[in-house]
Amino acid sequence: MNLSLTILGTASAMPVSDRNPSAQVLAVHGRLFLIDCAEGTQQKFRQAKLSFLKVRAILISHIHGDHVFGLFGMLNTMAMLGRTEPLDIFGPASLEGLLNFYRNWFSDGDDYTIGFHPLKGRDAEKIYEDKNISISAFPLNHKIECYGYRFGDSYAYCSDTAAFPEESSYVARVHTLYHEGTYNRELADKAASRYHSTTVDAANCARDAGVKRLILGHYSKRIHDFDSYIAEAREIFPESYAAQDGDVLEIPYLSGR
């Protein structure tokens, strides 16, 4: 059994005409896990022909707008489609206020419940497990509380973060690592000041973690030359690739239990 990853958005905070901000869907044996939920996510969902009613859980990295501005629309559309199955949402404790606002103003008459699970660990912790997948969350190094996610030994998601010593251990030996690469080497000063990663930071993490494949995304609007951008990463980690909106990637199923 392979997992299927659909990239719904690869842009960072500044809107651009040809990219959506951060959102991904990992399909695991017919169940969908939505990772971040930027503005426009539900439109991308429809374009990818994904089912709103098969979303088992939503995992939010942090509450910057380019990762959560699409959440209310997704929740409301699920209700209008007649969802009855409970929905689990994982994210930093600060997300609870946003969800309470949604509940108070927009969820009257919804036929499904939202179970919020605040993340609070200073180390990796298992947050979800069923017969097919085990998911862990781990802290990242951003301006505000931010988390990455690991799905067994198959896949790990790191956005947004500056480099930090423990990161490679959190994603060690996963097959596919998605890592933000907001900036290229030339803009390393901006990456450091804004707690983001460069192509070099992401490639170093992939190499040190011993992963099989690195997928880069969360691009600054300044990034236009993707040939030179990805070449920087491949100097350090040859199996590096630049994600594009709409990409669908197959990932080997590795339970990691």
Side-chain angles (χ1 to χ4, degrees), residues 232-249:
E232 290 181 353
R234 287 177 175 170
E235 289 175 10
I236 298 166
F237 189 77
E239 290 298 315
S240 298
Y241 303 89
Q244 304 296 333
D245 287 28
D247 282 353
V248 179
L249 308 174

Side-chain angles (χ1 to χ4, degrees), residues 133-202:
I133 198 72
S134 174
I135 306 174
S136 297
F138 51 89
L140 296 174
N141 180 25
H142 197 39
K143 284 186 176 181
I144 63 172
E145 187 180 13
C146 186
Y147 293 89
Y149 295 98
R150 178 178 179 136
F151 297 78
D153 285 346
S154 294
Y155 182 61
Y157 174 87
C158 294
S159 185
D160 303 11
T161 188
F164 63 103
E166 298 84 6
E167 185 182 17
S168 59
S169 67
Y170 293 146
V171 300
R173 297 177 301 281
V174 298
H175 182 277
T176 298
L177 169 65
Y178 175 90
H179 198 292
E180 70 122 309
T182 306
Y183 299 103
N184 57 16
R185 181 188 285 124
E186 180 182 337
L187 298 171
D189 58 333
K190 291 190 179 298
S193 67
R194 297 173 182 177
Y195 287 83
H196 278 294
S197 291
T198 65
T199 53
V200 172
D201 296 326

